[in-house]
Amino acid sequence: MNSKKSSAVVIGTALILAGIGILAVQFLEGISGAVILFIIGGVFIAGYFFVRAYWMLIPGCILAGIGLGTVGEGLFASLDEIFLVGLGAGFIAIYVVQWIFEKRAYWWPLIPGVVLIMIGLIESYEDFGRLIALAWPALLVLVGLVILAGAIGIGRRKNGSQDNKEKEISEQ
């Protein structure tokens, strides 16, 4: 698709999403702010799909995540920091969408995504906070064991006979 058609597709998609959003705001009074965030985020995400510009994916997923968090606050008023969970999901979506569509992804969005989700869940659920307090040291031990096992060679396949066969074949 040439750049003129790509631009037309992005602009057309943006207008469609804006129109749907304005109609939705008229009928959904309680979550109109979230709808606007979803629309603006959707325009950026649509732009990413058509142009494959990574810079469009970042604000698109973050705005959609903020919209999700805003909806979550309305639906789950008893949860203190559900907004942070939505925002964290937006950051993780950056990684997931890029990985799905480009078969590669930058890992940086995982850091703020996981941190925001963890803080939101810890602040919202007292039991989850206690679970994390107990689990993260155990996770450190597990990661340390895996690194140590790799360093001393535990878990590596021994392909001595396979290596010898390949060496013999290459020498012939």
Side-chain angles (χ1 to χ4, degrees), residues 31-108:
I31 59 170
S32 61
V35 171
I36 297 296
L37 291 169
F38 281 129
I39 291 169
I40 296 170
V43 168
F44 277 107
I45 293 170
Y48 164 76
F49 287 136
F50 290 114
V51 184
R52 286 290 193 256
Y54 185 66
W55 69 267
M56 295 182 92
L57 182 62
I58 297 168
C61 288
I62 290 173
L63 288 170
I66 293 171
L68 183 64
T70 303
V71 169
E73 282 183 336
L75 295 175
F76 305 105
S78 62
L79 301 178
D80 297 334
E81 299 294 332
I82 199 69
F83 176 80
L84 292 177
V85 175
L87 181 57
F91 275 99
I92 291 178
I94 296 168
Y95 178 87
V96 170
V97 169
Q98 187 186 23
W99 186 78
I100 288 172
F101 288 96
E102 297 181 26
K103 303 298 182 226
R104 66 176 180 82
Y106 298 109
W107 58 269
W108 70 265

Side-chain angles (χ1 to χ4, degrees), residues 11 26 51 62 90 105 124 126 129-130 171:
I11 291 169
Q26 293 176 5
V51 184
I62 290 173
S124 296
E126 187 177 321
R130 278 184 262 167
E171 288 176 358

Side-chain angles (χ1 to χ4, degrees), residues 155-171:
R156 290 189 193 154
R157 286 184 18 194
K158 304 226 179 197
N159 288 334
S161 60
Q162 183 69 22
D163 290 339
N164 289 338
K165 288 178 187 175
E166 289 174 6
K167 189 175 179 182
E168 289 174 9
I169 292 171
S170 65
E171 288 176 358

